[in-house]
Amino acid sequence: MKLKDKVVIITGAGQGIGKMYATKLAQEGAKIVIAEINLDNANAVAREIEGQGGDVLVVQTDVSDEKSTQKMADETVKAFDRIDVLINNAAIYYGIGFKPYDAISVEDWDRLMAVNVKGSWLCIKAVVPQMKKQKKGKIINVSSATWLMGIPYMLHYVTSKAAVVGMVRAISREIGEFGININAVSPGLTMTEASLTLPGQPPNLDKMISEQTAMKRNEQPEDLVGTIIFLSSDGSDFITGQLINVDGGWALH
Ligand SMILES: NC(=O)c1ccc[n+]([C@@H]2O[C@H](COP(=O)([O-])OP(=O)(O)OC[C@H]3O[C@@H](n4cnc5c(N)ncnc54)[C@H](O)[C@@H]3O)[C@@H](O)[C@H]2O)c1
């Protein structure tokens, strides 16, 4: 077990890739905190983890709200005494669809930035004081290959996923001296329900992307798990401020 007794907060773990992280990291011995806005989904994932014999806590969290992210950190420490890992996975992605840059409403732009960018920062702010006390901690921001590829027609989303990498690079220099590592992972188009149902997607998007990758297949949520375990584990203690593309060789150009 590579993460035995590590306390891992995963935001947005109620479905899709975050749910995969939660169930797989629990199998590696981690104590999982599901910080998710959708309580029904969060509870369903928690039941699955408990069914596997894992330790899990649900904290209903809106990552865009500072009181809520503070509660996420406080309840984690109350339940498990520490915070070893934060995975900033929550995002507005499901249902965003493809639209020209000038058809995105200001309200949609602001809401997406509040969750995807401000939300990652607020979660970092909430957990770092505890990690400082421990003189150790790991933070992983979830980016996306879309900004490296310059994918058009989802400008707010793509901009937000570039921003979380800038955040990683800059803040790594502010928190490294406390033994806290922060890195980013960049998935390619991954076959979650959100990707499969993206409104306005071109026909055969999955086939097109699979042909563009070096590995010549579509990415599955499981493909991300090994890198997330590595970045959560002691094996990555001297890696910080980095972006790892886990995309089967899609963003190679
Ligand atoms: N699926 C892909 O192709 C892909 C590719 C690259 C990056 N990503 C990124 O990976 C992550 C997961 O992707 P997914 O396909 O599982 O997405 P998803 O939209 O299915 O899941 C996102 C989760 O975040 C939760 N969430 C949304 N707003 C929240 C808030 N304010 N507070 C707390 N939780 C909130 C949702 O309820 C949901 O459970 C996202 O950061 C996404 O941008 C996905």
Side-chain angles (χ1 to χ4, degrees):
M1 284 197 176
K2 297 190 185 87
L3 301 176
K4 180 116 185 69
D5 293 332
K6 298 241 186 243
V7 177
V8 181
I9 299 176
I10 307 168
T11 67
Q15 65 184 40
I17 299 174
K19 176 180 172 183
M20 178 63 65
Y21 295 156
T23 53
K24 293 291 184 185
L25 270 57
Q27 288 166 15
E28 293 296 336
K31 298 176 179 177
I32 303 295
V33 179
I34 300 173
E36 163 66 60
I37 201 162
N38 182 324
L39 191 58
D40 289 343
N41 283 355
N43 284 333
V45 176
R47 280 195 296 274
E48 217 176 290
I49 293 173
E50 280 162 358
Q52 300 171 168
D55 252 344
V56 60
L57 172 74
V58 170
V59 185
Q60 189 175 25
T61 307
D62 176 354
V63 296
S64 68
D65 171 21
E66 189 165 20
K67 281 201 185 80
S68 187
T69 54
Q70 191 54 54
K71 183 168 144 263
M72 168 193 86
D74 292 346
E75 290 197 12
T76 301
V77 175
K78 201 166 143 211
F80 295 130
D81 293 327
R82 49 189 296 119
I83 303 172
D84 294 296
V85 182
L86 164 69
I87 304 174
N88 269 327
N89 166 81
I92 293 191
Y93 174 56
Y94 193 99
I96 55 166
F98 288 83
K99 279 187 189 156
Y101 74 94
D102 53 357
I104 296 168
S105 72
V106 169
E107 292 72 26
D108 282 355
W109 180 283
D110 286 348
R111 178 67 192 146
L112 187 140
M113 290 295 166
V115 174
N116 296 16
V117 182
K118 185 173 78 176
S120 297
W121 168 60
L122 289 177
C123 290
I124 292 168
K125 251 180 102 176
V127 302
V128 161
Q130 176 62 31
M131 290 179 172
K132 273 187 182 175
K133 280 189 208 158
Q134 299 164 189
K135 299 188 172 49
K136 185 158 176 153
K138 305 269 184 178
I139 301 171
I140 304 166
N141 274 7
V142 176
S143 179
S144 157
T146 52
W147 75 273
L148 289 160
M149 296 295 288
I151 297 294
Y153 304 120
M154 37 170 70
L155 192 67
H156 49 351
Y157 178 78
V158 172
T159 304
S160 76
K161 291 297 176 179
V164 298
V165 178
M167 189 184 300
V168 159
R169 291 175 65 86
I171 204 175
S172 65
R173 296 191 190 273
E174 294 193 44
I175 58 179
E177 67 185 284
F178 307 109
I180 304 170
N181 310 64
I182 179 162
N183 294 290
V185 164
S186 176
L189 183 80
T190 306
M191 297 294 103
T192 60
E193 200 193 327
S195 294
L196 293 167
T197 59
L198 270 185
Q201 61 179 273
N204 302 322
L205 179 68
D206 53 345
K207 191 161 173 281
M208 190 173 83
I209 305 281
S210 115
E211 280 166 7
Q212 289 169 356
T213 65
M215 305 301 289
K216 302 292 177 215
R217 69 167 174 83
N218 284 124
E219 183 159 1
Q220 303 299 330
E222 292 90 329
D223 289 317
L224 290 151
V225 171
T227 306
I228 293 289
I229 292 173
F230 172 60
L231 291 176
S232 301
S233 73
D234 298 343
S236 58
D237 275 358
F238 209 55
I239 299 178
T240 199
Q242 304 302 311
L243 168 67
I244 303 185
N245 296 334
V246 187
D247 65 359
W250 184 39
L252 280 176
H253 310 284

